[in-house]
Amino acid sequence: MRTLYLFLFSLFHASKVFPIFAAMKTSNILMALAGIIVLPAYLGSCGVDRWAAYAEETRTDRWIEDTMRVWYYWNHDIPNTNNLNYFSGPFEFFASLLSDEDGKGGQHYSTIDSLKYPTRSIPYTDYSYGFQFTTNRVEGNDTALYARILYVTPESPAGETGLQRGDWIMQMDGQPITQDNYTRLYGSEEMQLTVGYYDASGDTILPYAEPQTIAAARPINDNPVHYHNIYPLGNRRVGYLVYNHFSPGITDNDDTYNRDLRKVFQDFAAQQVNEFVLDLRYNNGGLISCAQLLCAMLAPSSALGQPLGQLEFNENFSPSPFYLDENLIQDGANLNLSTLYVLTSGETASASEMLINCLRPYMNVVLIGTTTEGKNVGFVSFTNQELMLTMSPIVCKIYNSAGESDYENGFEADEKVDENSDMAHFLPFGNPNELLLGTALGLIQGNVPASYRQKPNRQTTVLHNSIARRAAKSVRIAP
């Protein structure tokens, strides 16, 4: 009877899902199941049938399995039904379905989460203090960790307190930061912070005179269009943009962030920008349509209308191409660039890597920083409000227009520089002496300062990075 159920379920999806899927553009693919229909096949019996008796107790795991068998990219690796435990918890059951090809380093890319008690943060609505950070072990201090601020959202508790990129949090409420308590920095109650700064003269971290009080965490609006500027270099005008996640707005139905992005590019065009530095060092993914928009404004104008890449799904679906769509630009502007400089780190992932890979057939893409994550796959989120669960399985592999998708080990930087190893040049965004931006400006001028390539005296080791817990850490396919 289980075989009969799967056969009928496949017929249902073949007749209902595929025509819709095939008719839509990639940026508008409707890839969400409204729910899984439990067919009467469960009621029959080939021997002793226990499905009807245990339908309520097993429905969560059955919803997970049925969705995964249709959409999961590695669906052939899902174990046979006889080897699955339908009475295990949803998180354990979901993990039992996943392929060894899914993820790396013991961490799967496919995820499941509770709607009631979520464990993963959403970058643009995160309930937090409003800053991203790393925890670091600083050479010469073996007793405690320090947290270094990567960037601060302006309208947030951190922004209102005056915290800024490069500050070091040395203590929380008078207590050292440890492996056991650092997660309080993700968002908690009002807290007193001992904040320090790097003193270049002594090559050490010193505290400011007075501790600073940060208000309780709250929902924040982290606009990914974080910083932009223009640098005149002789006959070159260099545009610079810090773009921190691929999100259209506060929700997928909101276009606020995309409108801001278009306006920035309109300003770049008006000021005749002809070189460009795109800062994706903290961008670990997001919506594919946002990546298409950014690509369309950066690419050579002659490439507009051409294929940007293709999504490869499992055998249930045909490959789906996506394009350098000029219509996405609207009141923005195409800069008609021939070279793009991209700032990268180990947190540069998925949609950021897709942009790099998909623009390479059309222009020279120069990478500055450290090796990227290496995530050439995309996911779809399926939510069941009744079961209070949302899961995001990997459903596709991403190729560029040349049929290339060979960056599962990440993209190595053309110019290797690591901001985590150079405290002297860990400076605010836009400062031309900041390590990665300064290196890019030096490459454009043909002269990278020797100080950027010198080994620093004092080393720091990053133990945790708050960027890594973002729910957007992938290319997301959505309506």
Side-chain angles (χ1 to χ4, degrees):
M1 295 307 297
R2 184 65 174 167
T3 302
L4 175 60
Y5 166 76
L6 292 174
F7 175 70
L8 292 174
F9 187 76
S10 299
L11 287 181
F12 171 79
H13 279 276
S15 62
K16 299 297 183 182
V17 177
F18 292 101
I20 296 174
F21 183 82
M24 293 186 176
K25 293 182 179 179
T26 300
S27 61
N28 197 33
I29 298 172
L30 182 58
M31 296 180 66
L33 296 179
I36 300 300
I37 297 178
V38 180
L39 297 179
Y42 281 114
L43 300 177
S45 174
C46 297
V48 179
D49 180 16
R50 299 183 182 276
W51 285 107
Y54 297 123
E56 181 63 26
E57 192 171 349
T58 63
R59 67 181 181 131
T60 298
D61 288 354
R62 286 187 282 110
W63 172 73
I64 293 171
E65 181 198 8
D66 291 338
T67 307
M68 292 287 282
R69 288 198 184 276
V70 172
W71 295 99
Y72 191 42
Y73 183 68
W74 299 281
N75 60 349
H76 285 299
D77 290 345
I78 297 175
N80 185 278
T81 56
N82 294 331
N83 298 322
L84 294 174
N85 179 6
Y86 294 91
F87 299 96
S88 58
F91 286 25
E92 179 185 351
F93 183 81
F94 179 80
S96 74
L97 306 181
L98 300 182
S99 170
D100 291 340
E101 299 294 317
D102 188 340
K104 60 182 61 174
Q107 298 292 320
H108 291 107
Y109 287 147
S110 297
T111 62
I112 188 170
D113 209 355
S114 166
L115 293 178
K116 189 173 183 180
Y117 303 108
T119 59
R120 296 170 65 79
S121 70
I122 305 298
Y124 40 87
T125 59
D126 190 18
Y127 184 87
S128 73
Y129 290 123
F131 64 85
Q132 300 292 339
F133 66 93
T134 57
T135 59
N136 296 55
R137 179 81 65 192
V138 180
E139 186 179 21
N141 182 357
D142 297 328
T143 60
L145 306 181
Y146 289 164
R148 178 160 58 181
I149 295 178
L150 305 178
Y151 74 87
V152 175
T153 301
E155 296 180 4
S156 68
E160 293 161 1
T161 301
L163 298 178
Q164 57 186 342
R165 171 176 163 80
D167 281 343
W168 290 89
I169 299 175
M170 306 173 75
Q171 292 186 336
M172 302 180 298
D173 288 332
Q175 300 299 314
I177 300 172
T178 69
Q179 294 275 50
D180 295 327
N181 68 12
Y182 80 92
T183 56
R184 291 183 63 196
L185 294 172
Y186 290 148
S188 187
E189 67 281 350
E190 181 180 284
M191 188 188 304
Q192 190 176 74
L193 301 176
T194 301
V195 181
Y197 64 97
Y198 174 70
D199 176 39
S201 62
D203 191 29
T204 189
I205 299 171
L206 300 175
Y208 290 109
E210 298 292 334
Q212 295 174 276
T213 300
I214 189 169
R218 63 175 188 256
I220 56 94
N221 179 7
D222 182 11
N223 191 326
V225 187
H226 185 77
Y227 178 88
H228 60 93
N229 203 351
I230 296 174
Y231 303 85
L233 298 177
N235 63 349
R236 298 182 176 95
R237 295 186 63 80
V238 183
Y240 173 58
L241 171 66
V242 180
Y243 187 69
N244 287 333
H245 49 90
F246 290 88
S247 309
I250 296 177
T251 68
D252 286 349
N253 296 322
D254 177 27
D255 200 41
T256 303
Y257 300 158
N258 278 350
R259 289 200 302 271
D260 289 345
L261 185 63
R262 293 183 182 103
K263 183 178 184 303
V264 167
F265 272 79
Q266 187 181 66
D267 293 342
F268 284 146
Q271 298 190 54
Q272 299 180 323
V273 163
N274 52 18
E275 300 277 5
F276 204 87
V277 179
L278 178 62
D279 196 334
L280 299 178
R281 75 183 87 178
Y282 303 138
N283 190 320
N284 68 354
L287 199 61
I288 188 173
S289 60
C290 297
Q292 285 179 267
L293 167 61
L294 188 51
C295 285
M297 294 192 291
L298 293 167
S301 58
S302 60
L304 294 176
Q306 298 300 309
L308 187 57
Q310 180 171 272
L311 306 181
E312 175 192 77
F313 299 88
N314 66 29
E315 74 285 353
N316 291 330
F317 304 99
S318 299
S320 183
F322 54 99
Y323 297 86
L324 280 162
D325 187 354
E326 186 173 8
N327 295 322
L328 294 174
I329 297 174
Q330 298 179 16
D331 59 351
N334 169 259
L335 299 185
N336 191 29
L337 300 170
S338 59
T339 299
L340 175 66
Y341 298 86
V342 182
L343 309 187
T344 66
S345 76
E347 296 302 326
T348 304
S350 58
S352 290
E353 293 173 301
M354 188 199 86
L355 178 145
I356 293 167
N357 190 50
C358 290
L359 284 178
R360 278 186 162 178
Y362 298 106
M363 62 195 304
N364 182 30
V365 181
V366 180
L367 305 185
I368 300 165
T370 55
T371 302
T372 64
E373 161 80 13
K375 192 172 185 181
N376 58 350
V377 291
F379 77 93
V380 173
S381 290
F382 301 93
T383 298
N384 190 312
Q385 294 289 346
E386 185 179 359
L387 299 176
M388 293 299 290
L389 287 174
T390 182
M391 62 178 178
S392 301
I394 296 300
V395 301
C396 63
K397 189 173 182 180
I398 304 163
Y399 293 82
N400 64 16
S401 60
E404 298 165 332
S405 183
D406 55 352
Y407 55 95
E408 59 274 3
N409 294 321
F411 288 112
E412 287 192 13
D414 300 290
E415 185 72 24
K416 297 176 176 60
V417 285
D418 184 358
E419 70 173 5
N420 292 313
S421 66
D422 191 339
M423 289 193 282
H425 292 102
F426 195 99
L427 300 171
F429 289 128
N431 188 319
N433 294 317
E434 188 272 320
L435 183 63
L436 270 66
L437 175 60
T439 300
L441 296 176
L443 287 175
I444 292 171
Q445 297 178 93
N447 182 26
V448 177
S451 61
Y452 293 168
R453 292 170 170 157
Q454 292 175 353
K455 183 178 179 180
N457 294 327
R458 186 180 295 270
Q459 300 289 324
T460 67
T461 302
V462 174
L463 302 181
H464 306 280
N465 191 318
S466 65
I467 303 290
R469 64 188 289 267
R470 281 180 175 168
K473 193 175 183 179
S474 189
V475 175
R476 184 161 59 94
I477 318 299

